[in-house]
Amino acid sequence: MDQHNTNKIKTKSYEDQYRQQLLSVWEESALATHDFLTPADFKEIKEAVATIDFNDFDVYCLLDGDMLIGFVGVTGQKVEMLFLLPRYFGLGLGKQLMNFAINELGADKVDVNEQNKKAVKFYERLGFETYERTDKDDQGRNYPLLRMKLKV
C-alpha cells in the first residue's frame, strides 16, 4: 500500500484548472465510501455536485505532483467536503487534510452520513463527537446525518 511517495504531496488552494480532477476525485471517493446511496440518489447528487462553484468555499486540494488526489472544503467553521482517491486511503492523508482544515481554516464542525461508518469512526478518532442527529440529509433524502463538533 505504500507505493505512493507522500513526501511530494502538497496542499494547494483550489483553482478552476483543477475542477475536472476534483469532480473525478469526488466521484471515485463517493462510490467507494457511500455504498448506501441508491443509484438514482447517487446520480442526482453527482449532478448537483457538478453545479457547485468551488470558489464559494475555502477549498484546498491535495496534489501528488500535478495530480489532484484529494480535497477539503470549508465554509465558516464547518467542513463541507472531504474526499480522497480510494487508492490513497490509509496513508494518513485524510487526517492531514482535516488537520489543515482545523488548524489553518478554523474548522470545528462536520456533518457525516450515519451509514458511512468508516467516516464516523475517522472523525471520532480526530476528536469529533456527535451533538445532533437528523432523520434526513440536508436535501431531504432518507440518509440520517450526524452533526459532529470537535471536543474542546
Side-chain angles (χ1 to χ4, degrees):
M1 187 177 275
D2 202 356
Q3 76 254 30
H4 304 290
N5 179 0
T6 54
N7 294 334
K8 63 180 175 132
I9 293 177
K10 58 186 183 297
T11 306
K12 190 167 189 267
S13 186
Y14 172 79
E15 297 170 20
D16 286 329
Q17 69 182 10
Y18 299 129
R19 182 174 179 79
Q20 277 317 118
Q21 286 188 76
L22 185 143
L23 291 171
S24 293
V25 167
W26 175 87
E27 184 170 5
E28 271 193 62
S29 182
L31 283 170
T33 57
H34 292 64
D35 54 1
F36 51 87
L37 294 174
T38 66
D41 284 344
F42 182 83
K43 182 177 185 290
E44 191 178 293
I45 294 166
K46 179 181 173 180
E47 288 168 4
V49 169
T51 68
I52 293 173
D53 181 352
F54 294 99
N55 295 298
D56 292 344
F57 300 86
D58 276 330
V59 176
Y60 285 82
C61 302
L62 209 55
L63 298 168
D64 187 351
D66 293 331
M67 187 174 80
L68 192 145
I69 61 167
F71 64 96
V72 63
V74 175
T75 298
Q77 292 178 289
K78 184 175 168 192
V79 173
E80 296 286 353
M81 51 190 95
L82 174 71
F83 292 93
L84 191 64
L85 284 176
R87 64 184 172 274
Y88 286 84
F89 287 0
L91 301 175
L93 298 172
K95 182 179 179 181
Q96 182 179 318
L97 277 172
M98 278 303 292
N99 284 335
F100 181 86
I102 293 164
N103 298 321
E104 303 297 322
L105 306 176
D108 67 356
K109 289 186 217 59
V110 66
D111 290 352
V112 62
N113 292 101
E114 186 177 56
Q115 297 107 311
N116 191 346
K117 302 290 186 210
K118 285 183 180 168
V120 173
K121 284 185 180 14
F122 168 78
Y123 292 120
E124 287 173 346
R125 280 195 308 271
L126 291 177
F128 285 81
E129 60 189 357
T130 301
Y131 67 90
E132 186 181 6
R133 181 190 181 275
T134 67
D135 287 333
K136 296 180 181 293
D137 68 13
D138 291 338
Q139 289 71 43
R141 295 186 195 92
N142 290 317
Y143 303 111
L145 292 178
L146 299 178
R147 301 199 191 278
M148 302 181 87
K149 187 166 176 47
L150 199 56
K151 287 183 250 179
V152 211

